[in-house]
């Protein structure tokens, strides 16, 4: 049985609600029906309650205050607000505080019945989520979600496993999100995971995996077209969690309409997850064509200048200044460590610097001054991290330099950790460990990255046939090359060449 509480300062209304519908038909027990909002709040805090029906206008404590206090303590409780006033501000405030519905007096029993029915459906969805993410399915579902977001499954494998798990690949849209709490610890992240699942039913479906104990990655899909934007929905959840003492950061990727493009959304969210060390609560990355490439070009231009004195005016005027800053910083951080959550161990001095990142709402003195502030911070970050990058590059073991040189010669199609270790007279295991320690990459990942970047160079600057490029860079088959290239550059080799040729005209 589920449990409900009714509170209205008018005894006749309370009696009317008690008799308005057949509560037991919904498997609901009325735990308390009262005219005292403080008694109702005390009862809800001390007992398991699923639904609260509350009048908006009451003495001592009004319905909105009761909902706010109740939601802070028990965010999973569903609330229905009653009022005799057709006032939009009451409705908006009630919904802001987490009310499930706003019903006007005199109450229509059918409307109340429909609302209760919807709430029970949401409660059952939540129970199903708990069952779905029970121990028996957790490992399989987590593994599938990670493979899906990282584009590691063929279309056939993705469809088969999704059907087995009951995951809807025909959802309206998909948005990848990375949640993290570097300062909160594993217990806080566990609390947030439970907290998040209290809000999803009735709004979004979600699939998740823990990349680390402090890093939760998921993909969300709205249940209806009327659902609020995902960034708005998550912002409200994060604020509500913070009010409960759960401090979590979210990096939100761009929303895609096809399940096969989910990895693009994840790439967007993942590359901006380093902002967890800033003062931001969340960052949303819209899909802005050309921004990533423009940011890469700006960083390359900076690195070519000996005096490091360059202007970023053109880039920062073309796109939102804060996004330009985020993307350039992301590129530099990826050069210092493979994953941004390694910053704490490898470059803790950057953590304090990131805490000084400007906030958009602080830049109220004009567009030009705001743009200048973001440019200044970007250049300061690059200059402050230059010594770290140089130190990392200079401290590489000679054997790591030899490995990198061998890879970039692209003369040995059969190059491997085993063959290189033999030439350097060390074991493959030792060479792989040293290479990862010094570069942040695993050997095979670095080799694949280098080959794909060289392939992109050949596509752009030569007329070589794709099959010849595949053979030259050492891929085992053109099919594997095409799949890897698309995963890395978000486009096919043919499209990449066409776009670059057109762009050079």
């Amino acid at each position: 049985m589920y449990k409900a509480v009714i509170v209205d300062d008018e005894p006749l209304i309370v009696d009317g609600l008690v008799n308005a519908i057949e509560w037991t038909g919904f498997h609901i027990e009325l735990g308390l029906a009262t005219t005292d909002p403080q008694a109702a709040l005390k009862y809800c805090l001390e007992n398991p309650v699923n639904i609260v029906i509350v009048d908006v206008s009451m003495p001592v404590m009004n319905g909105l205050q009761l909902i706010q206090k109740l939601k802070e303590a028990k965010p999973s409780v569903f609330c229905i607000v009653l009022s005799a006033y057709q006032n939009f501000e009451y409705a908006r405030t009630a919904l802001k505080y987490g009310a499930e519905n706003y019903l006007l007096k005199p109450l229509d029993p059918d409307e109340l019945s429909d609302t209760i029915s919807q709430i029970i459906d949401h409660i059952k969805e939540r129970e199903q989520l708990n069952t779905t993410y029970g121990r028996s399915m957790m490992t399989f579902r987590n593994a599938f979600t990670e493979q899906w977001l990282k584009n590691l499954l063929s279309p056939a494998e993705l469809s088969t496993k999704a059907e087995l798990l009951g995951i809807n690949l025909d959802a309206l849209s998909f948005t990848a999100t990375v949640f993290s709490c570097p300062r909160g610890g594993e217990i806080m992240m566990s609390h947030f995971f439970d907290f998040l699942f209290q809000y999803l039913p009735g709004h979004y479906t979600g699939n998740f995996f823990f990349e680390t104990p402090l890093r939760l990655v998921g993909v969300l899909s709205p249940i209806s077209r009327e659902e609020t934007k995902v960034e708005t929905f998550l912002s409200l959840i994060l604020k509500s969690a913070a009010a409960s003492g759960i401090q979590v950061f979210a990096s939100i990727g761009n929303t895609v309409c096809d399940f096969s493009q989910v990895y693009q959304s994840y790439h967007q969210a993942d590359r901006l997850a380093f902002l967890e060390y800033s003062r931001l609560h969340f960052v949303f990355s819209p899909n802005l064509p050309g921004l990533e490439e423009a940011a890469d070009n700006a960083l390359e231009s900076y690195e070519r200048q000996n005096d490091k004195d360059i202007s970023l005016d053109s880039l920062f005027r073309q796109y939102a200044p804060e996004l330009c800053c985020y993307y350039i910083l992301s590129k530099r951080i990826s050069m210092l460590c493979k994953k941004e959550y390694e910053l704490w161990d490898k470059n803790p001095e950057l953590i304090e610097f990131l805490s000084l990142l400007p906030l958009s709402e602080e830049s109220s003195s004009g567009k030009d001054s705001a743009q200048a502030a973001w440019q200044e911070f970007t250049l300061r970050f690059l200059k402050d991290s230059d010594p770290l990058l140089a130190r990392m590059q200079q401290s590489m073991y000679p054997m790591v330099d030899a490995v990198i040189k061998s890879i970039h010669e692209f003369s040995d199609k059969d190059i491997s950790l085993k063959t290189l270790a033999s030439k350097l007279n060390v074991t493959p295991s030792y060479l792989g460990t040293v290479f990862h320690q010094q570069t942040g990459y695993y050997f095979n990942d670095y080799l694949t990255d280098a080959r794909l970047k060289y392939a992109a160079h050949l596509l752009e600057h030569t007329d070589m046939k794709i099959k010849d490029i595949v053979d030259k860079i050492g891929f085992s088959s053109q099919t594997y090359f095409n799949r890897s290239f698309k995963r890395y550059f978000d486009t096919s080799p043919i499209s990449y060449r066409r776009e670059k040729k057109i762009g050079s005209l």
Side-chain angles (χ1 to χ4, degrees), residues 133-146:
Y133 277 87
R135 295 187 178 215
S136 61
M137 292 297 289
M138 183 66 84
T139 302
F140 183 32
R141 183 174 289 266
N142 278 7
F144 166 80
T145 304
E146 181 170 10

Side-chain angles (χ1 to χ4, degrees), residues 50 64 133 172 191 224 259 276 432 442 462 469:
N50 304 100
L64 300 182
Y133 277 87
L172 295 170
H191 287 331
S224 69
F259 69 88
E276 66 184 3
Y442 292 103
T462 76
I469 292 177

Side-chain angles (χ1 to χ4, degrees), residues 417-429:
L417 198 61
K418 184 176 181 180
T419 58
L420 290 171
S422 178
K423 292 179 182 178
L424 296 169
N425 200 30
V426 294
T427 66
S429 176

Side-chain angles (χ1 to χ4, degrees), residues 132-148 153 157-167 207-209:
T132 299
Y133 277 87
R135 295 187 178 215
S136 61
M137 292 297 289
M138 183 66 84
T139 302
F140 183 32
R141 183 174 289 266
N142 278 7
F144 166 80
T145 304
E146 181 170 10
Q147 292 168 342
W148 181 16
L153 296 171
E157 290 175 317
L158 182 57
S159 297
T160 299
K161 291 184 177 181
E163 183 177 2
L164 179 63
L165 290 166
I167 294 173
N207 292 280
F208 304 90
F209 70 92

Side-chain angles (χ1 to χ4, degrees), residues 265-311:
S265 180
Y266 169 68
H267 172 70
Q268 294 279 353
D270 184 58
R271 74 169 298 160
L272 297 185
F274 73 92
L275 292 168
E276 66 184 3
Y277 297 108
S278 71
R279 292 177 291 162
L280 293 170
H281 299 295
F282 78 96
V283 59
F284 173 66
S285 176
N287 188 17
L288 297 177
L291 172 57
E292 186 168 350
E293 183 177 0
D296 287 347
N297 292 337
L299 182 56
E300 290 176 6
S301 177
Y302 168 84
E303 291 172 342
R304 286 195 299 268
Q305 295 287 335
N306 292 329
D307 58 3
K308 307 299 184 185
D309 186 18
I310 68 168
S311 172

Side-chain angles (χ1 to χ4, degrees), residues 189-377:
M189 180 52 82
S190 177
H191 287 331
F192 176 73
F193 190 48
D194 294 337
F195 191 89
L196 178 63
F197 269 51
Q198 294 171 356
Y199 278 86
L200 288 179
H203 301 284
Y204 281 82
T205 61
N207 292 280
F208 304 90
F209 70 92
F210 277 97
E211 188 165 31
T212 75
L214 301 180
R215 182 180 169 98
L216 174 68
V217 182
V219 55
L220 302 176
S221 295
I223 290 176
S224 69
R225 296 186 185 278
E226 289 71 35
E227 187 53 60
T228 56
K229 291 183 179 180
V230 66
E231 58 268 30
T232 303
F233 177 71
L234 290 176
S235 175
L236 291 173
I237 290 178
L238 293 173
K239 289 179 181 177
S240 182
S244 300
I246 304 174
Q247 299 289 341
V248 173
F249 169 82
S251 175
I252 308 168
N254 56 295
T255 297
V256 297
C257 296
D258 192 284
F259 69 88
S260 65
Q261 300 172 332
V262 165
Y263 74 94
Q264 298 175 7
S265 180
Y266 169 68
H267 172 70
Q268 294 279 353
D270 184 58
R271 74 169 298 160
L272 297 185
F274 73 92
L275 292 168
E276 66 184 3
Y277 297 108
S278 71
R279 292 177 291 162
L280 293 170
H281 299 295
F282 78 96
V283 59
F284 173 66
S285 176
N287 188 17
L288 297 177
L291 172 57
E292 186 168 350
E293 183 177 0
D296 287 347
N297 292 337
L299 182 56
E300 290 176 6
S301 177
Y302 168 84
E303 291 172 342
R304 286 195 299 268
Q305 295 287 335
N306 292 329
D307 58 3
K308 307 299 184 185
D309 186 18
I310 68 168
S311 172
L312 299 173
D313 281 350
S314 177
L315 173 63
F316 278 65
R317 289 185 185 278
Q318 185 178 2
Y319 300 97
E322 61 269 28
L323 289 178
C324 296
C325 173
Y326 299 163
Y327 274 64
I328 292 175
L329 265 58
S330 170
K331 183 68 175 179
R332 169 52 64 89
I333 287 172
S334 71
M335 298 169 68
L336 293 167
C337 50
K338 183 66 174 174
K339 283 290 188 180
E340 86 291 333
Y341 51 75
E342 297 175 348
L343 271 176
W344 189 267
D345 294 326
K346 290 191 172 184
N347 306 112
E349 52 266 67
L350 294 183
I351 302 299
E352 183 175 354
F353 193 93
L354 284 172
S355 69
L356 303 176
L357 185 83
L359 295 178
S360 297
E361 56 266 31
E362 295 175 347
S363 305
S364 57
S365 54
K367 181 178 179 181
D368 290 340
S369 60
Q371 178 180 305
W374 284 104
Q375 285 191 53
E376 180 183 355
F377 182 88

